[in-house]
């Protein structure tokens, strides 16, 4: 573990100092890295994209060796005097040397996002549950599955994986059921968006952020995706025709029609609910730059904001993406990208079935 040297702000008051630990093959490299560190940044996302660790090192003295690709680095971050928060393992996949001044930039991705997951496959999944599919793919890549029970037991009549990688297929399946699909630290996570679960599947606490914590913010409301309802079609084989389900309001003035025709009413309903939830969550976003970084922040964590406008404070927020940054002088900041956390697919929204004309 390396602790930045103490520093004093104006008036001689000591300011908090960032702290980190970088481990390679069980060896703590923090002290060696410290005298070269220009910046460290960690990007975490709930989406299928890998988490990214970036290190910029000062090589003006020319005494640094260029790191090899494929090595694994484990990272923990936090503040001096407090326990560090483990942020997982990352595989170095890009290295750059540039100047002047001479610097080495190291980029590493979540260690579990293997190349094998990008291999295209042809598979038909027939009469399976989401749990069956996720567990089978997790086993193929030596990953531990972390599933929500309700999603795991959801039946799928038929779905084809044609010329599609496991990563792409699972991403498409997650979008259909409004779920988080990600691979982090040896686990394949498949959870409903807003379930508030970590990569290990454990519940995440709610984070409270006050106006005094923020350095800058941006609240944005958009009407571009303000659909009153979403309609999805399925093929009713016994009737020999298409039927549809509509989630949301009853008026037909602003209904979004999904292009795909699904194999069953249940799958069409799930897809319509998922898309309606996405359009509702995306109507309001809230981005924050925190002057004092939050090492305990994770994607999918719910956030309560206080001290802004009443419209902002009234909304429960959900972290979509976050970037933690440290610099060589001990600064540690966190940038948060958030959307509405309300679940719009509750009982207050009616669904109804109809025949497609």
């Amino acid at each position: 573990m390396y602790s930045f040297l103490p520093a004093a702000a104006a008036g001689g008051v000591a300011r908090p100092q960032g702290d980190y630990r970088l481990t390679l093959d069980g060896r703590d490299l923090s002290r060696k890295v410290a005298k070269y560190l220009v910046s460290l940044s960690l990007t975490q996302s709930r989406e299928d994209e890998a988490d990214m660790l970036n290190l910029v090192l000062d090589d003006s003295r020319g005494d640094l060796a260029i790191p090899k690709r494929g090595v694994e680095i484990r990272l923990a971050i936090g503040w001096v005097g407090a326990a560090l928060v483990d942020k997982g393992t990352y595989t170095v996949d890009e290295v750059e040397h540039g100047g002047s001044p001479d610097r080495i930039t190291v980029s590493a991705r979540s260690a579990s996002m293997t190349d094998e997951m990008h291999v295209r496959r042809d598979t038909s999944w027939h009469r399976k549950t989401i749990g069956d599919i996720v567990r089978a793919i997790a086993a193929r890549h030596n990953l531990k599955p972390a599933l929500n029970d309700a999603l795991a037991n959801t039946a799928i009549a038929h779905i084809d994986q044609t010329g599609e990688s496991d990563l792409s297929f699972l991403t498409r399946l997650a979008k259909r059921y409004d779920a988080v699909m990600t691979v982090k630290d040896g686990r394949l996570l498949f959870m409903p968006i807003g379930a508030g679960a970590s990569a290990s599947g454990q519940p995440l606490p709610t984070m409270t952020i006050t106006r005094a914590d923020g350095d800058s913010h941006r609240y944005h409301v958009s009407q571009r995706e303000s659909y009153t309802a979403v309609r999805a079609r399925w093929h009713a084989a016994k009737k020999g025709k298409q039927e549809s389900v509509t989630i949301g309001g009853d008026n037909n003035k602003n209904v979004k029609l999904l292009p795909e025709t699904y194999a069953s009413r249940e799958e069409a309903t799930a897809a319509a609910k998922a898309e309606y939830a996405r359009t509702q969550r995306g109507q309001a976003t809230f981005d924050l730059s925190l002057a004092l970084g939050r090492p305990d922040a994770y994607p999918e964590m719910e956030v309560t904001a206080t001290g802004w406008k009443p419209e902002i404070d009234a909304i429960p927020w959900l972290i979509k993406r976050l970037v933690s940054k440290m610099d060589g002088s001990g600064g540690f900041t966190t940038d948060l990208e958030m959307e509405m956390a309300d679940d719009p697919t509750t009982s207050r929204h009616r669904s109804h079935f109809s025949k497609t004309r």
Side-chain angles (χ1 to χ4, degrees), residues 229-233 244-247 250-252 255-260 262 268 272 352 354 356:
V230 175
R231 178 175 296 143
R233 297 164 295 185
S244 70
V245 58
T246 301
I247 301 295
D250 290 335
N251 78 72
N252 294 318
V255 178
K256 183 174 184 178
L257 177 63
L258 300 184
E260 184 176 351
Y262 298 91
H352 61 276
S354 63
T356 299

Side-chain angles (χ1 to χ4, degrees), residues 51-356:
D51 288 351
M52 290 290 299
L53 169 64
N54 284 281
L55 299 171
V56 178
L57 306 174
D58 179 8
D59 192 35
S60 57
R61 288 169 288 191
D63 56 346
L64 280 177
I66 295 178
K68 295 181 179 179
R69 291 180 300 165
V71 299
E72 292 191 354
I73 300 173
R74 192 165 195 93
L75 173 69
I77 60 175
W79 293 100
V80 171
L84 299 186
V85 178
D86 181 27
K87 291 295 183 176
T89 305
Y90 303 84
T91 301
V92 174
D93 66 345
E94 293 184 32
V95 180
E96 178 181 314
H97 191 281
S100 60
D102 284 7
R103 289 181 173 181
I104 294 176
T105 302
V106 179
S107 298
R109 296 177 182 269
S110 300
S112 301
M113 199 73 84
T114 62
D115 291 340
E116 187 68 18
M117 289 201 74
H118 293 275
V119 174
R120 295 186 179 186
R121 303 176 184 276
D122 292 319
T123 306
S124 288
W125 304 90
H126 189 64
R127 292 184 179 177
K128 299 290 185 182
T129 64
I130 289 178
D132 294 334
I133 295 172
V134 171
R135 282 188 281 266
I137 293 177
R140 179 183 294 158
H141 300 286
N142 297 314
L143 299 170
K144 295 179 181 178
L147 287 123
N148 167 275
D149 288 342
L151 270 179
N153 295 326
T154 300
I156 295 179
H158 184 86
I159 188 170
D160 289 320
Q161 181 181 354
T162 306
E164 197 173 15
S165 70
D166 285 342
L167 185 61
S168 176
F169 172 68
L170 286 174
T171 300
R172 177 163 63 91
L173 189 64
K175 184 177 181 181
R176 177 182 292 189
Y177 289 91
D178 199 32
V180 175
M181 192 297 296
T182 189
V183 180
K184 295 181 182 180
D185 212 20
R187 292 182 175 88
L188 174 54
L189 185 73
F190 204 102
M191 295 277 183
I193 289 178
S198 67
S200 63
Q202 298 303 309
L204 291 169
T206 298
M207 176 182 292
T208 299
I209 298 177
T210 68
R211 182 67 187 264
D213 298 325
D215 189 30
S216 65
H217 74 278
R218 180 177 183 267
Y219 168 70
H220 179 70
V221 180
S222 173
Q223 292 298 318
R224 286 177 297 177
E225 288 287 314
S226 59
Y227 293 100
T228 59
V230 175
R231 178 175 296 143
R233 297 164 295 185
W234 82 91
H235 182 69
K238 292 182 179 180
K239 298 181 180 179
K241 57 186 174 183
Q242 285 187 353
E243 295 189 358
S244 70
V245 58
T246 301
I247 301 295
D250 290 335
N251 78 72
N252 294 318
K253 294 181 180 179
N254 198 15
V255 178
K256 183 174 184 178
L257 177 63
L258 300 184
E260 184 176 351
T261 299
Y262 298 91
S264 68
R265 183 177 70 181
E266 291 74 20
E267 291 174 38
T269 301
K273 284 183 176 180
E275 186 60 27
Y276 185 75
R278 273 189 293 274
T279 62
Q280 300 307 296
R281 285 195 307 267
Q283 287 186 50
T285 60
F286 189 35
D287 297 340
L288 274 178
S289 292
L290 302 179
L292 296 179
R294 293 292 300 257
D296 56 335
Y298 285 92
E300 279 296 280
M301 180 175 279
E302 190 167 313
V303 173
T304 299
T306 61
W308 281 273
K309 295 291 185 181
E311 295 86 349
I312 299 174
D313 292 354
I315 296 175
W317 297 101
L318 195 65
I319 298 176
K320 290 179 59 179
R321 186 174 181 269
L322 65 104
V323 181
S324 301
K325 302 175 185 175
M326 290 191 180
D327 58 42
S329 65
F332 173 24
T333 62
T334 299
D335 296 332
L336 302 176
E337 295 179 14
M338 297 179 286
E339 66 181 6
M340 295 172 61
D342 260 343
D343 178 11
T345 57
T346 58
S347 57
R348 68 178 183 271
H349 296 289
R350 301 199 300 122
S351 65
H352 61 276
F353 300 99
S354 63
K355 297 178 181 179
T356 299

